[in-house]
Each structure stands twice: as structure tokens, then as C-alpha cells.
Amino acid sequence: MNINEKRTVSDLAIEICAAPGVFEKLGIDYCCGGQKTLKEACAGAGVTLEEVVSQLERAAPSSRETREADDWQKRRLSDLATYIVNKHHAFVRQELPRLERLLYEVRSAHLARHPELRDFQALLRDLALELTHHMRKEEEILFPYIALLESAADRTAVLPRPCFGTVRNPVQMMTQEHDNAGQALRRIRATTGDYAVPADGCATYRALLESLRAFEQDLHTHIHLENNILFPRACQLEDSVLDARGEEKAPQTESD
């Protein structure tokens, strides 16, 4: 197991199944910030490289069996996309309305003493709207095209030229939207004092913040699977399909 300061956080998260749990505990961004080196990520999180390497080395042996049983680097992309929809998209759709209901109850009871709940509610509402549109675009446009890519690679379907030119264009958009969601969650975390229940917080207040912490952790895993595994593999697959057909790759649009 090669763990050193020059490895990217995303590579370690893919290679060591227990690494995301280590990164969550230490506050290291392994999804949107996955392209940083381990040294850069440690500096950003305010933790020592030695401590992180030590924890990863302890976690690595116990994760080998899990990795072999569920290695998304080897399984079909359509299977991974289906897994993301059934597990992570379903979780988002289940939890967002529940979080909004909990927040409404907390705001009704505690707003006078905690005016920050007003900002909290606006942030959560904007996050819910963005994630809802984001998941629909993945399910209706990007993921079906990835499945077509796989079928074309298997020579069981003809790959049409998509209206978006190359898969890199929707991937770029989805990645930017992941960054937006990550920033929104960081603002929510700051607004809530790192999900700290105030001294006068009721049981509903506690349930809200605990549920929000779990939501954030699930979204980190969700984004990691897409940014670091599904999207790069889809780009590579499109290149190989077009190369096999002797076609030129469509240009990638410039990001704003």
C-alpha cells in the first residue's frame, strides 16, 4: 500500500475503502477537493501528515476484503450509475423533505433566541432546489448516455452524436454543481457552529443537526463516486469508443 504525501486524496479514497471514513473524521475533503495531494489536504484541514498516514495505514488492511467485494473501478459504469441513483439519489430525495420539516419545527420554536436559523433555512432551501435539478439532469441525460457508451463499447448499440458534443461537457457541469453543493454545506456547517446543538436546544433540534451531519457524509460519498470514479471512467470510455470508430472527439466547452 503506497501512502505518501504526493498521492491525491481521491486516489487514496478509491484504493482504501476505509479512507473516506478517516477523511470525514479529520475534516479532509475527498470528493470536491479530491485532486489535492495528501500533503495539501492535510495542510488545508489543519492536521499533520504523519497522523493521517498513520490512520490510513491502520485502516488499509481491514479494507482489502471490502474493496475486493465492491470495486467500482472494475464493475460496469451502468451498474455504478444505478447504484448511485438507488442508494444516494434516493437518500437525498428521502432526507431533504424530512430535514426541511425538522427545520421548520425548530425555527418555529427557537427563532427568537437563534436568528441564525433564518439563514440556515434559506441555505437548506437553495441546496434542496439545486440538488433536485442536478439529480434529474444526471438521471435523464448523463447517466443514459454513459449506458449508451458502454453498449457501444460492447458493440450492442450505435452511439449517436449527443447534443452536448462530448461527455466531458455535462461532466464539467455536474462537477461544478457538486462544488456548489459542497460550498452550501460548508456554509450550513458554519451557520450551525459545526452542527453543535445549543444549550437550549430541544430533542428536535438535536435530531435536525444529527440528520444533517449524516446527510453531509452521505453526499460526500455520493460525490466521490461520481467525481473520482464514474466521471473519469466515462470520459476514458468515450475516448476509446470514438478512437475505435476513427472519429474525432467533439470539443469541450469552456467553463465560465
Side-chain angles (χ1 to χ4, degrees):
M1 189 70 64
N2 181 19
I3 304 173
N4 64 68
E5 64 180 32
K6 295 182 180 179
R7 297 289 303 279
T8 65
V9 174
S10 63
D11 283 347
L12 292 169
I14 293 168
E15 189 173 320
I16 305 171
C17 285
V22 172
F23 293 148
E24 288 281 357
K25 182 172 64 175
L26 298 174
I28 291 175
D29 179 5
Y30 63 95
C31 48
C32 297
Q35 297 312 305
K36 291 182 179 179
T37 66
L38 186 59
K39 182 179 180 179
E40 292 169 337
C42 290
V47 294
T48 67
L49 178 65
E50 292 75 18
E51 174 61 18
V52 177
V53 170
S54 175
Q55 291 201 33
L56 289 174
E57 287 175 341
R58 290 198 299 271
S62 63
S63 70
R64 286 192 187 117
E65 184 176 339
T66 305
R67 181 175 182 272
E68 289 172 1
D70 196 20
D71 191 343
W72 290 115
Q73 286 285 56
K74 297 177 181 176
R75 296 175 62 179
R76 291 179 65 82
L77 295 183
S78 51
D79 289 343
L80 175 53
T82 298
Y83 173 82
I84 289 169
V85 170
N86 291 343
K87 181 174 175 64
H88 296 292
H89 286 196
F91 181 77
V92 170
R93 290 191 172 105
Q94 167 193 303
E95 285 298 292
L96 280 175
R98 192 175 78 87
L99 288 169
E100 291 178 317
R101 286 194 299 270
L102 287 171
L103 180 53
Y104 177 80
E105 293 177 23
V106 169
R107 188 180 187 275
S108 299
H110 295 273
L111 181 61
R113 295 182 302 279
H114 295 281
E116 69 274 8
L117 288 168
R118 189 177 286 108
D119 292 336
F120 183 1
Q121 188 173 45
L123 288 167
L124 184 61
R125 183 174 57 245
D126 291 347
L127 176 64
L129 184 63
E130 173 140 13
L131 285 176
T132 298
H133 291 319
H134 173 86
M135 294 187 300
R136 185 179 300 122
K137 285 183 284 188
E138 288 185 335
E139 293 172 13
E140 295 180 1
I141 300 172
L142 180 55
F143 290 178
Y145 179 69
I146 290 174
L148 270 176
L149 276 175
E150 217 158 36
S151 297
D154 295 339
R155 301 182 183 279
T156 60
V158 175
L159 181 68
R161 177 70 73 177
C163 61
F164 45 76
T166 169
V167 73
R168 285 174 169 78
N169 289 325
V171 159
Q172 183 182 63
M173 179 181 293
M174 295 302 100
T175 301
Q176 180 58 58
E177 291 178 3
H178 288 164
D179 290 345
N180 296 342
Q183 291 169 11
L185 279 170
R186 284 191 289 276
R187 288 194 293 271
I188 290 173
R189 180 184 276 271
T191 300
T192 60
D194 204 23
Y195 304 135
V197 181
D200 61 345
C202 61
T204 305
Y205 212 137
R206 181 178 300 277
L208 169 65
L209 295 180
E210 289 176 351
S211 297
L212 194 58
R213 185 187 295 275
F215 182 86
E216 182 185 53
Q217 290 176 353
D218 183 83
L219 193 64
H220 287 167
T221 303
H222 174 176
I223 293 174
H224 161 65
L225 289 173
E226 293 185 357
N227 278 15
N228 300 330
I229 302 178
L230 181 64
F231 294 168
R233 287 189 60 198
C235 292
Q236 292 170 3
L237 182 62
E238 184 184 62
D239 288 346
S240 67
V241 169
L242 296 180
D243 285 344
R245 289 175 14 175
E247 294 187 19
E248 290 186 9
K249 301 176 183 64
Q252 182 176 357
T253 59
E254 293 293 329
S255 60
D256 294 333

